Amino acid sequence: MESRKIYNRIAILRLEMGISRKELAEKVGVNFQTIGYIEREEYNPSLDLAFRFCDVFHQPIEFVFSTSPQKPLSQLIQENK
Amino acid sequence: MESRKIYNRIAILRLEMGISRKELAEKVGVNFQTIGYIEREEYNPSLDLAFRFCDVFHQPIEFVFSTSPQKPLSQLIQENK
DNA sequence: ACACATTGTTGTATATATACAACTTTATGT
DNA sequence: ACATAAAGTTGTATATATACAACAATGTGT
C-alpha cells in the first residue's frame, strides 16, 4: 500500500502544554527524536503511539490527527462563534 | 518501543455490512490477507489504514479501535438505555 | 562571549506492517 | 457428494516506524 501522509497538531499541543520534545517523549514512551520526526510529519506514528498522544493531550484522535492539513487553532475558534 | 496491542471491531462491522474480507480489502486498498491479520489482532493497522477503515464504516476511530478490549455491541446498546 | 537547552540532520540498526503466493480448513449452496 | 467461497496457516520479501548516536544549528539566559 502507498501509505498516505497523516497531518497532526502535536507541535502546537506540545507548545501549549509548555513542554519540550524530550519531556513529551518521556510521557508517551518513545525516543525524543521520534517526536521530531512525527512533528515534522516525516512519518506517521503507529496507531498505538497515536492513542498515547491523545491520552497525554486529553483529545480525541480526530482532533490531533487528520487526513487533510490541519487548520490553525485560532481559525477553528472563530468558526465556532 | 514495545508496541501495545490495539483492539478493534472490524470483523463485526464488516459482517454487519455483509461483505467479505476481499471486498473490504478492496474498499480500503490493502491485500485481503491483511484484513485477516488485523481482524485477528495479530498486528495493528497503521494510522493511515485505521482512518480508511473509519471512512468505510462511517465511525470515529475511538469506536472502531481501542486500547482495551471492545465490548460487544449488544451490551453497549443496553447500557445506553 | 559563554554555557546550556532545544531542535534539526545524517546515518545505521531493528521491529512492525503490508504484499503476495501456496496450501489447508471450514462453511455454504446445489 | 461436489463445487465454490471464505477464512486460516506458513513462508518470504519489502516498506515504514522506531531507537540510537554523533554532530550542526539555533535560541536563551547569564
Side-chain angles (χ1 to χ4, degrees):
Chain A
M1 188 180 51
E2 350 77 64
S3 171
R4 285 177 310 183
K5 176 183 183 157
I6 303 291
Y7 302 85
N8 71 71
R9 294 194 219 266
I10 293 176
I12 307 108
L13 292 170
R14 175 176 64 79
L15 288 175
E16 291 198 332
M17 242 179 130
I19 62 177
S20 69
R21 289 185 181 168
K22 193 154 166 288
E23 288 171 288
L24 178 56
E26 281 155 14
K27 283 181 194 293
V28 299
V30 293
N31 190 277
F32 82 100
Q33 288 164 312
T34 298
I35 304 291
Y37 282 107
I38 293 171
E39 287 191 354
R40 276 174 255 125
E41 294 168 344
E42 290 186 28
Y43 54 58
N44 301 335
S46 66
L47 185 53
D48 175 22
L49 183 49
F51 270 109
R52 295 183 196 234
F53 282 120
C54 291
D55 281 352
V56 169
F57 295 133
H58 303 108
Q59 296 290 345
I61 298 257
E62 284 80 1
F63 181 75
V64 183
F65 301 96
S66 65
T67 55
S68 49
Q70 302 266 19
K71 285 188 190 170
L73 297 189
S74 51
Q75 197 173 327
L76 272 191
I77 289 166
Q78 302 317 318
E79 285 173 9
N80 281 345
K81 282 193 177 162
Chain B
M1 189 180 51
E2 349 77 64
S3 170
R4 286 177 311 184
K5 177 182 181 157
I6 303 291
Y7 302 86
N8 72 71
R9 294 194 220 266
I10 293 176
I12 306 107
L13 292 170
R14 175 175 63 79
L15 287 175
E16 291 199 333
M17 240 178 131
I19 63 177
S20 68
R21 289 185 182 170
K22 193 154 165 288
E23 289 171 288
L24 178 56
E26 281 155 14
K27 282 181 194 293
V28 299
V30 292
N31 190 278
F32 83 99
Q33 287 163 314
T34 297
I35 304 291
Y37 282 107
I38 294 171
E39 287 191 354
R40 277 175 255 124
E41 295 168 345
E42 290 186 29
Y43 53 59
N44 301 334
S46 66
L47 185 54
D48 176 22
L49 183 50
F51 271 110
R52 296 183 196 234
F53 282 121
C54 291
D55 281 352
V56 169
F57 295 133
H58 303 108
Q59 296 290 345
I61 298 257
E62 284 81 359
F63 181 74
V64 183
F65 301 95
S66 66
T67 55
S68 49
Q70 303 266 18
K71 285 187 190 170
L73 297 189
S74 52
Q75 197 172 327
L76 271 191
I77 290 165
Q78 301 316 318
E79 285 173 10
N80 281 344
K81 281 193 178 163

